[in-house]
């Protein structure tokens, strides 16, 4: 069943407008159902129990979002199927069972025509004929009397069964709405009647009425997931896709078996990867965060960061909590944790779940078994992976290097959903919890890099957790970075990246001898690690051993001829010891070949050779890269009216000079024309740098 539903999800996606073929390298999730199917016990298993008296109060009706594309009555599928998930040609066992049951119902209704309910006498007319007769419809009193007779619940169900039969054969039957409204007037709180009313109005494209009856259901029963799903389907038909997804997502987890969480997480993760590969950065972020909310019991990322800050004693978060509020990302304090505190952060922030993520508590009951333990381990691993992926996305948005990511960062900053731009206060908790779920030397290495860049002022204002085993001392980013590097080496004593970064940290602190030892360790465990080789050359050169540094630079260039730091370091060191072999030359200057032979100028101003020619090429490429950075930023649309950043800048330039009162339109047009100079993408004009200078 899950495999079928998963395939149906992609069939539905294939009906969308064709997109350019693109095959990104992403993790393929296991076969998994879509969100809208989770609240079913099986593949529409409840259909077979529709008429079970014990289940009558839980009748589940689903709207058919494809009805308007299929006007032929003989093509209508059964009411009970989630039509938005099933392709038209797909006929499953549940559909066949429902159709057979409806035929039985019609037969039963025919039998009842000669067996009136106890305590009520009516003319000897066939029941179906009575309901289909216009004369009978005009006499609502007879039907009200029929409803109010003895065995009213059974008779109400018989009428509702007949209404379902009409809906399944012709949803626009002229008497269907009338019959349902009579039932509704007699039994205003009967939820299955309300649900079918909402579905019928949906087929008439009366979406507001459909929403109204679904909301009446939720007012009576807030956990009625079928109504939530129908609201989502209706909103999607109204073009409100984002709102529809929220309703479907609200409905899904309430009936989601705990052991299925990892599968749904993988679906969110794969969807996020796909959106990221296609350039939808904001959409990817949204999918990753949905995957996290599953295992955190519905708590969003901002709420998770607030929980951690609260557990660490943040006064600002404590005060906000007293008023029932949470701090937004921009107001959240920075939380700095030592490694031994980070690996216990789940126990610290979520003590009520006993060190298990709140949404995974259901898995712990079966964790003793092989399947339960595997599901819990898989969920922890997937959660850790999603957090690391989201952390990388946040780091890209905080320091955008491409126009797409820069645009995503700008859109996040202007969003009104409370998420806003990623901050360090959101980034660090992702790494902390990932490390707690899956201790990894690479995660410790990444944390060390981030923490090493935290300045003293930020560290002083940060929230810290007291360490009972050590006396309280000022926490600095450098100190924490060193602790995480050392912790990572405990996990993997042969990790070259940890040795390299620890060496760089020591070098920045002025401990050159210790730094050289760390670089040598990195090269020992990975002789082809170009960064470690170049760093070792830098450290040795800084110690005054310029001649000794040359060999390490040369090895780094042999491994990676395009490694800029290694090439430039080699040229500087060779020049520092007057070793001109292989220097070459640029333009019409004399050159020196690799054997040290002098060659006079040949008069070619475009000539380049040797090491110095390579340096000139590197500098030229860096300048070219800088010139194309930010290309297109002036054309970025800022609002729904389609106003671009360039047009807005033109307005600001006029306003800033106090000229917006007289002739402002002319001046705005003039500046817009000047800014259009950058619209020619064929010529490199350093657009991003110019905007920053402006």
């Amino acid at each position: 069943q899950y495999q079928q539903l998963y395939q149906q999800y992609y069939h539905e996606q294939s009906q969308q407008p064709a997109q350019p073929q693109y095959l990104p390298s992403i993790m393929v999730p296991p076969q998994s159902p879509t969100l809208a199917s989770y609240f079913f016990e099986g593949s529409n298993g409840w259909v077979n129990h529709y008429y079970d008296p014990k289940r009558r109060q839980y009748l589940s009706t689903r709207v058919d979002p494809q009805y308007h594309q299929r006007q032929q009555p003989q093509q209508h599928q059964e009411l009970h199927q989630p039509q938005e998930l099933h392709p038209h040609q797909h006929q499953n066992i549940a559909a066949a069972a429902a159709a057979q049951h409806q035929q039985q119902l019609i037969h039963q209704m025919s039998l009842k025509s000669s067996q009136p309910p106890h305590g009520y006498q009516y003319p000897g007319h066939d029941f179906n004929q009575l309901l289909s007769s216009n004369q009978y419809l005009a006499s609502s009193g007879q039907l009200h009397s029929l409803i109010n007779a003895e065995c009213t619940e059974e008779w109400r169900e018989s009428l509702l069964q007949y209404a379902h039969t009409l809906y399944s054969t012709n949803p626009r039957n002229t008497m269907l709405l009338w019959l349902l409204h009579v039932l509704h007037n007699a039994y205003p709180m009967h939820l299955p009647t309300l649900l079918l009313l909402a579905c019928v109005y949906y087929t008439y494209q009366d979406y507001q009425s459909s929403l109204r009856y679904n909301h009446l259901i939720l007012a009576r029963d807030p956990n009625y997931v079928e109504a939530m799903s129908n609201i989502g389907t209706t909103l999607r038909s109204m073009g409100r896709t984002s709102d529809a997804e929220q309703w479907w997502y609200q409905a899904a987890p309430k009936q989601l078996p705990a052991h299925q969480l990892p599968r749904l997480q993988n679906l969110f993760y794969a969807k996020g990867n796909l959106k990221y590969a296609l350039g939808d950065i904001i959409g990817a972020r949204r999918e990753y965060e949905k995957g996290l909310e599953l295992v955190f019991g519905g708590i969003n990322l901002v709420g998770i960061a607030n929980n951690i800050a609260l557990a660490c004693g943040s006064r600002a978060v404590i005060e906000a909590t007293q008023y029932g509020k949470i701090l937004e990302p921009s107001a959240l304090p920075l939380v700095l944790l030592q490694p031994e505190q980070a690996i216990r952060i789940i126990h610290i922030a979520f003590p009520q779940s006993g060190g298990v993520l709140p949404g995974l508590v259901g898995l712990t009951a079966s964790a003793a078994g092989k399947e339960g333990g595997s599901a819990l381990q898989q969920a922890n691993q997937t959660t850790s992976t999603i957090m690391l992926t989201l952390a990388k996305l946040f780091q890209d948005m905080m320091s955008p290097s491409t126009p797409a990511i820069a645009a995503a960062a700008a859109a996040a900053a202007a969003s009104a959903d409370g998420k806003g731009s990623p901050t360090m206060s959101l980034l660090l908790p992702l790494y902390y919890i990932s490390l707690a779920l899956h201790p990894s030397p690479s995660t410790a290495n990444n944390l060390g890099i981030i923490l090493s860049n935290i300045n003293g002022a930020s560290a002083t204002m940060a929230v810290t957790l007291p360490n009972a085993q050590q006396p309280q001392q000022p926490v600095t980013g450098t100190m924490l970075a060193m602790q995480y590097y050392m912790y990572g080496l405990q996990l993997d004593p042969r990790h070259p990246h940890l040795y390299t970064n620890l060496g760089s940290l020591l070098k920045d602190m002025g401990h050159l001898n210790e730094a050289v030892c760390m670089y040598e360790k990195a090269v020992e465990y990975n002789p082809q690690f170009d960064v470690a080789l170049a760093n070792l050359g830098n450290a040795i050169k800084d110690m005054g051993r310029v001649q000794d540094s040359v060999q390490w630079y040369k090895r780094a260039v042999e491994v990676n001829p395009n490694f800029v730091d290694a090439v430039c370091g080699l040229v500087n060191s060779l020049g520092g010891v007057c070793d001109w072999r292989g220097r070459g030359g640029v333009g019409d200057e004399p050159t020196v070949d690799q054997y040290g032979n002098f060659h006079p100028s040949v008069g070619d101003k475009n000539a380049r050779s040797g090491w110095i020619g390579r340096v000139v090429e590197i500098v030229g490429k860096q300048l070219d890269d800088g010139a194309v950075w930010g290309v297109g930023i002036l054309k970025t649309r800022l609002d729904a009216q389609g106003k671009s950043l360039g047009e807005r800048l033109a307005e600001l330039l006029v306003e800033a000079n106090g000229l917006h009162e007289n002739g402002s339109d002319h001046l705005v047009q003039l500046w817009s024309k000047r800014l259009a100079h950058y619209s020619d993408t064929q010529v490199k004009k350093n657009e991003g740098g110019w905007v920053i200078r402006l």
Side-chain angles (χ1 to χ4, degrees):
Q1 292 172 355
Y2 284 126
Q3 184 176 3
Q4 293 172 352
L5 290 172
Y6 187 73
Q7 293 171 348
Q8 291 156 17
Y9 166 80
Y10 281 103
H11 176 83
E12 178 188 358
Q13 298 302 309
S14 67
Q15 305 304 314
Q16 304 297 325
Q19 300 291 334
Q21 292 294 322
Y22 187 83
L23 298 176
S25 178
I26 63 173
M27 183 190 74
V28 179
Q31 296 295 319
S32 176
T34 61
L35 281 178
S37 68
Y38 268 100
F39 47 76
F40 294 104
E41 295 176 356
S43 181
N44 297 326
W46 61 268
V47 173
N48 298 324
H49 305 288
Y50 177 105
Y51 303 107
D52 185 345
K54 296 181 181 180
R55 294 180 57 89
R56 282 179 178 169
Q57 298 301 319
Y58 304 97
L59 172 65
S60 303
T61 305
R62 295 301 303 270
V63 300
D64 182 359
Q66 307 295 342
Y67 172 77
H68 308 301
Q69 301 175 10
R70 300 176 291 108
Q71 291 296 322
Q72 300 300 324
Q74 64 270 21
Q75 292 179 334
H76 293 321
Q77 295 186 5
E78 284 68 26
L79 162 72
H80 315 293
Q81 295 190 37
Q83 303 289 350
E84 69 272 22
L85 297 176
H86 292 262
H88 307 321
Q89 70 273 18
H90 181 70
Q91 298 294 330
N92 58 22
I93 297 175
Q100 181 180 2
H101 202 84
Q102 288 171 356
Q103 294 298 325
Q104 295 173 356
L105 170 62
I106 295 173
H107 178 67
Q108 293 170 3
M109 296 293 289
S110 299
L111 293 177
K112 287 184 179 182
S113 64
S114 60
Q115 300 176 5
H118 177 71
Y120 178 73
Q121 300 295 327
Y122 66 96
H125 298 289
D126 181 88
F127 185 69
N128 293 317
Q129 293 177 355
L130 284 172
L131 288 178
S132 60
S133 168
N134 291 333
Q135 182 179 6
Y136 184 78
L137 292 181
S139 177
S140 61
Q142 294 187 41
L143 186 57
H144 278 294
S145 299
L146 186 149
I147 292 175
N148 293 324
E150 289 187 32
C151 304
T152 54
E153 182 178 345
E154 286 77 2
W155 201 237
R156 178 196 65 197
E157 293 302 319
S158 296
L159 290 174
L160 191 58
Q161 289 176 27
Y162 185 75
H164 274 272
T165 302
L166 294 177
Y167 180 87
S168 63
T169 56
N170 182 10
R172 292 190 176 185
N173 188 294
T174 55
M175 64 171 293
L176 183 55
L177 272 178
W178 177 86
L179 175 59
L180 289 174
H181 276 295
V182 170
L183 283 172
H184 175 50
N185 291 335
Y187 303 98
M189 294 294 101
H190 190 233
L191 303 188
T193 301
L194 292 173
L195 201 60
L196 185 53
L197 260 173
C199 291
V200 174
Y201 274 113
Y202 179 89
T203 63
Y204 281 97
Q205 300 186 37
D206 187 351
Y207 299 136
Q208 294 300 331
S209 295
S210 180
L211 290 175
R212 179 162 61 89
Y213 284 106
N214 278 312
H215 281 295
L216 282 176
I217 295 171
L218 295 179
R220 178 75 174 177
D221 181 0
N223 297 320
Y224 210 103
V225 292
E226 288 81 2
M228 298 179 194
S229 179
N230 284 353
I231 290 174
T233 303
T234 305
L235 291 173
R236 184 181 66 177
S237 298
M238 297 170 68
R240 297 164 57 183
T241 305
S242 178
D243 293 336
E245 288 184 354
Q246 292 181 9
W247 278 99
W248 286 330
Y249 185 64
Q250 181 180 350
K254 292 179 172 56
Q255 296 291 329
L256 181 65
H259 67 276
Q260 294 294 348
L261 275 172
R263 304 179 72 178
L264 182 55
Q265 261 197 310
N266 276 328
L267 188 60
F268 280 129
Y269 181 53
K271 189 176 179 182
N273 287 345
L274 181 59
K275 287 190 173 184
Y276 187 90
L278 296 176
D280 184 2
I281 310 300
I282 299 298
R285 172 183 177 178
R286 184 164 53 248
E287 299 304 326
Y288 294 144
E289 292 189 8
K290 284 181 183 179
L292 296 181
E293 289 175 20
L294 279 177
V295 295
F296 282 94
I299 305 175
N300 61 26
L301 183 57
V302 177
I304 295 169
N306 271 266
N307 268 9
I308 292 177
L310 179 64
C312 294
S314 167
R315 294 182 180 179
V317 177
I318 292 174
E319 292 177 0
T321 304
Q322 291 174 348
Y323 292 97
K325 300 179 180 180
I326 63 173
L327 297 182
E328 297 300 331
S330 59
L332 270 172
L334 188 66
V335 176
L336 298 181
L337 299 178
Q338 299 176 19
E340 61 271 16
Q341 297 169 338
I343 59 178
R344 294 188 297 107
I345 191 59
I346 299 176
H347 293 80
I348 296 171
F350 304 98
Q352 67 278 7
S353 58
V356 178
L357 296 180
L360 300 180
V361 173
L363 285 176
T364 59
S366 58
K370 182 177 180 180
E371 182 178 352
S374 175
L376 182 61
Q377 181 180 4
Q378 182 184 355
N380 285 338
Q381 176 66 59
T382 303
T383 302
S384 177
T385 302
I386 293 176
M387 287 188 145
L388 291 177
T389 305
L390 186 57
K392 177 62 169 62
L393 186 149
F394 279 4
Q395 288 175 267
D396 290 343
M397 292 178 68
M398 293 165 70
S399 301
S401 57
T402 66
I405 296 179
S415 65
D417 59 1
K419 293 181 179 178
S421 299
T423 64
M424 193 68 70
S425 300
L426 284 181
L427 177 64
L428 286 176
L430 290 172
Y431 277 113
Y432 293 149
I433 298 178
S434 176
L435 190 68
L437 292 172
H438 183 67
S440 163
S442 296
T443 304
N445 181 64
N446 291 344
L447 265 170
I449 295 172
I450 294 172
L451 292 168
S452 66
N453 290 293
I454 293 179
N455 57 44
S458 298
T460 302
M461 300 295 294
V463 175
T464 59
L465 196 62
N467 191 332
Q469 299 178 353
Q470 298 179 2
Q472 188 67 21
Q473 56 181 346
V475 175
T476 65
T478 300
M479 180 193 75
L480 287 175
M482 183 172 294
Q483 291 181 2
Y484 277 97
Y485 291 144
M486 298 300 294
Y487 171 75
L489 288 173
Q490 292 176 14
L491 299 175
D492 182 3
R494 301 174 62 88
H495 199 288
H497 292 82
L498 284 166
Y499 281 115
T500 299
N501 290 330
L502 180 56
S504 297
L505 192 68
L506 291 168
K507 180 174 178 290
D508 291 341
M509 296 171 64
H511 303 296
L512 281 176
N513 289 325
E514 292 81 355
V516 168
C517 291
M518 294 299 105
Y519 293 140
E520 288 175 341
K521 278 285 187 181
V523 172
E524 175 185 350
Y525 294 126
N526 185 358
Q528 302 297 310
F529 189 13
D530 52 355
V531 175
L533 290 166
N535 284 349
L536 181 55
N538 288 335
I540 292 177
K541 183 180 67 175
D542 290 348
M543 295 175 68
R545 297 160 49 192
V546 180
Q547 184 66 59
D548 294 337
S549 70
V550 172
Q551 59 171 321
W552 302 110
Y553 286 128
K554 284 186 175 180
R555 284 182 57 180
V557 172
E558 290 173 0
V559 172
N560 184 359
N562 297 317
F563 188 16
V564 174
D565 289 3
V567 173
C568 294
L570 176 60
V571 173
N572 285 331
S573 292
L574 289 173
V577 295
C578 297
D579 187 347
W580 309 118
R581 290 173 295 180
R583 178 190 183 277
V586 177
D588 58 357
E589 67 176 0
T591 62
V592 179
D593 63 20
Q594 59 182 339
Y595 302 107
N597 299 318
F598 177 86
H599 298 274
S601 172
V602 295
D604 184 0
K605 294 183 178 180
N606 296 319
R608 293 178 183 176
S609 62
W611 292 118
I612 198 66
R614 183 76 180 93
V615 170
V616 171
E617 291 177 358
I618 290 172
V619 173
K621 182 179 184 303
Q622 290 177 333
L623 291 174
D624 286 344
D625 290 344
V628 299
W629 180 83
V631 168
I633 191 66
L634 288 171
K635 292 183 178 180
T636 303
R637 298 299 170 185
L638 299 180
D639 50 37
Q641 287 73 31
K643 185 173 294 185
S644 68
L645 175 62
E647 293 168 337
R648 182 58 181 150
L649 277 177
E651 295 175 355
L652 291 174
L653 284 166
V654 174
E655 293 176 7
N657 287 277
L659 303 174
H660 57 283
E661 296 181 355
N662 299 320
S664 60
D665 292 341
H666 170 71
L667 290 173
V668 169
Q669 293 176 3
L670 176 62
W671 270 103
S672 297
K673 184 177 180 180
R674 290 170 176 170
L675 294 178
H677 165 74
Y678 289 96
S679 63
D680 183 8
T681 57
Q682 301 300 320
V683 182
K684 300 170 184 176
K685 299 187 177 72
N686 197 15
E687 181 176 351
W690 184 88
V691 171
I692 290 175
R693 292 197 300 276
L694 176 65

